[in-house]
Amino acid sequence: MPMLPYTVVSGVLDVVGVDRGGGQTDGGEQAPDWETVLINIGFVGMAVGLAVALPIYMRERWPTAFLGRVGEGRARSSKFVPSAMTVTAALGLLWL
């Protein structure tokens, strides 16, 4: 009788309508709904954390790059900018 607690719990979960994630759908296994929700919460939390922490880190790491106002001083062109834009556009097209 060691399987009795498992059968009782699984029977209750089936009656309530909770997806236990053990079924096959279209030839593959599907994760339970609660697991998908937790994974999505984790991704959203990481995105929000990066969006908040990255500018703070950059400001503390390179403070001189963020000092002053736009338009102060002489504008300098860089040879790095066109090559960086080309690489970025190529990666964007590759992802598309």
Side-chain angles (χ1 to χ4, degrees):
M1 284 222 186
M3 295 296 289
L4 184 63
Y6 174 75
T7 27
V8 170
V9 170
S10 66
V12 170
L13 290 176
D14 288 339
V15 168
V16 174
V18 174
D19 179 20
R20 293 181 290 141
Q24 297 264 341
T25 58
D26 297 334
E29 291 188 17
Q30 183 179 1
D33 293 335
W34 62 267
E35 186 176 6
T36 306
V37 169
L38 289 178
I39 290 171
N40 286 333
I41 289 172
F43 279 125
V44 169
M46 180 65 73
V48 169
L50 282 173
V52 170
L54 187 62
I56 295 171
Y57 167 75
M58 291 175 64
R59 170 76 173 159
E60 290 180 4
R61 178 70 173 93
W62 300 286
T64 57
F66 296 96
L67 295 177
R69 295 183 178 187
V70 175
E72 279 187 3
R74 197 179 112 228
R76 299 177 299 203
S77 63
S78 173
K79 295 179 183 178
F80 177 71
V81 172
S83 60
M85 289 175 55
T86 304
V87 170
T88 303
L91 285 174
L93 289 175
L94 180 68
W95 275 96
L96 280 175

